Amino acid sequence: ARNGFPAVDEDEYHFGSRFTTPIRLARHAGLDPEKDGANFQALGAKLGQEFDELYIGLVDPAKGNAGFYPGISKLISDIPVSVKVGALTNAAVAYAEQVLKKNGVRGRFAVVH
């Protein structure tokens, strides 16, 4: 597995999904937040950044990655320009920014959080 850590099984994956990406990935790497303190935080930050960069780099609607559902682009373009639109995501904001940009609608959004 990448970075020399063993792959996680399905149960561990589902358990970890309740945590933010850095915490989840540090736990998947075998670290414990109580015992490993600063190392846990540092590794989680490093792995989280690597994950976000990989995840954001995969955004390519032409290849079927992060495209909009049918009708969403039209729905967005039909909103009057006088109406401010924002995007709220539970993913990395940079990921949402990239999805909107690659789908050609980023300029329509006043804010992305």
Side-chain angles (χ1 to χ4, degrees):
R2 189 174 178 152
N3 286 309
F5 302 113
V8 299
D9 63 26
E10 186 175 348
D11 289 338
E12 187 177 352
Y13 172 81
H14 287 293
F15 176 80
S17 67
R18 69 189 74 197
F19 301 107
T20 61
T21 299
I23 292 171
R24 179 179 79 248
L25 295 178
R27 285 176 174 274
H28 288 335
L31 298 184
D32 179 280
E34 301 292 323
K35 290 191 254 177
D36 297 306
N39 289 336
F40 180 90
Q41 297 299 326
L43 182 63
K46 176 187 176 291
L47 294 176
Q49 182 175 349
E50 288 179 16
F51 175 83
D52 286 347
E53 289 170 0
L54 174 66
Y55 188 51
I56 292 163
L58 293 174
V59 175
D60 187 349
K63 292 183 180 177
N65 301 324
F68 287 154
Y69 289 109
I72 296 299
S73 291
K74 181 172 180 350
L75 177 99
I76 293 168
S77 67
D78 286 350
I79 298 170
V81 177
S82 61
V83 175
K84 289 187 178 185
V85 180
L88 181 62
T89 180
N90 68 339
V93 170
Y95 175 77
E97 293 273 4
Q98 187 73 340
V99 169
L100 295 172
K101 178 181 170 187
K102 292 286 187 165
N103 282 283
V105 297
R106 176 56 186 98
R108 186 60 189 89
F109 288 78
V111 64
V112 179
H113 282 283

